[in-house]
Each structure stands twice: as structure tokens, then as C-alpha cells.
Amino acid sequence: MKNTYLRSYLPIISILLFSLFFAVYGEMQMLKLFGDLGIYQGMLEFFLKPASSWRC
């Protein structure tokens, strides 16, 4: 079955674009909140450590 109408793809395209926009917006808001609370700097220090210094 082949879909020959381009306009029939618009609903899925709009859903994907909205989801992408909402994900980026939410991530930016979380980074802003973490920065205001002072958590972001600690997260950077934790995740930027070299993996060789971690011991299990």
C-alpha cells in the first residue's frame, strides 16, 4: 500500500515536531532550574571526572 498524498503525513510530522520542541524546552527549563539551585555545577564535576578514577 503506497501513500501518494503528501498532506496525509502532516499529522505525524506535527506530532514529532511538537514532541521535539517540548523535549528541548523541558531540558532547557531543567538546566535553568538546576543552575539556579546550584546543582548543575556539582553534576558537571561528577560527570566530567575521568572514568579511570572510579573504583567499584
Side-chain angles (χ1 to χ4, degrees), residues 2-49:
K2 183 178 177 184
N3 192 351
T4 58
Y5 298 105
L6 184 61
R7 287 189 296 187
S8 64
Y9 291 112
L10 288 178
I12 190 68
I13 291 171
S14 66
I15 290 169
L16 290 174
L17 286 176
F18 176 77
S19 298
L20 178 66
F21 169 76
F22 192 67
V24 170
Y25 176 77
E27 185 172 347
M28 295 303 292
Q29 291 298 316
M30 283 194 311
L31 288 176
K32 182 180 174 185
L33 177 66
F34 289 163
D36 291 343
L37 294 176
I39 299 172
Y40 186 66
Q41 189 62 35
M43 289 172 61
L44 283 178
E45 291 175 4
F46 179 76
F47 287 114
L48 293 180
K49 286 182 182 178

